[in-house]
Amino acid sequence: MTYYKVHYACVPCRVSFKQHAYQGREHRCPNCAGPLTCAGHDFAPPPRRDVRGWPVVAAVLGEGLRYEGRSACGCDKEPRYRPRTRAELRARRAVAARDALPPAEALSRPDPLVPTAD
């Protein structure tokens, strides 16, 4: 069985790294020595110079969501939706406030106005 590396992100430094996920190991940022946040297997980080994209990543990771979707072997599912721009983030936060939804649920909807059928 193949074990794929997981993306870890440091939002204050605006960097990400791929590392193996070991139980009980705390991953640290080599720049600031702060803890890295597990971003999932399907994380595509914005460029470091993109100061508008990283706050969106911080909001998604802050809600406990990860950029996942595929199975461990990478052949099962399509990646789940996560907002990529500040406009998408604002729209989902507005829907969450209006409809009294948990923010994590609103952030994971491709279309914020259409309820998901879980």
Side-chain angles (χ1 to χ4, degrees):
M1 181 166 183
T2 304
Y3 294 99
Y4 293 98
K5 291 182 179 179
V6 180
H7 290 269
Y8 288 88
C10 179
V11 176
C13 295
R14 298 191 311 264
V15 294
S16 73
F17 306 95
K18 287 181 80 173
Q19 299 177 355
H20 287 289
Y22 296 114
Q23 294 289 347
R25 178 178 173 208
E26 185 175 357
H27 298 276
R28 292 287 194 179
C29 176
N31 297 335
C32 68
L36 293 173
T37 305
C38 181
H41 290 93
D42 298 328
F43 180 58
R48 188 171 186 190
R49 66 185 176 278
D50 185 7
V51 295
R52 293 182 177 188
W54 278 96
V56 177
V57 170
V60 170
L61 295 177
E63 289 299 326
L65 297 174
R66 293 172 53 178
Y67 293 84
E68 292 287 358
R70 300 191 187 275
S71 63
C73 66
C75 63
D76 194 17
K77 300 185 266 184
E78 291 297 318
R80 294 188 186 114
Y81 174 82
R82 299 293 182 252
R84 307 245 349 139
T85 64
R86 292 188 307 171
E88 292 174 350
L89 180 65
R90 275 192 308 271
R92 277 141 188 87
R93 283 183 172 165
V95 168
R98 184 189 68 211
D99 296 341
L101 291 173
E105 183 181 334
L107 288 176
S108 62
R109 288 184 177 180
D111 185 359
L113 303 176
V114 177
T116 59
D118 288 332

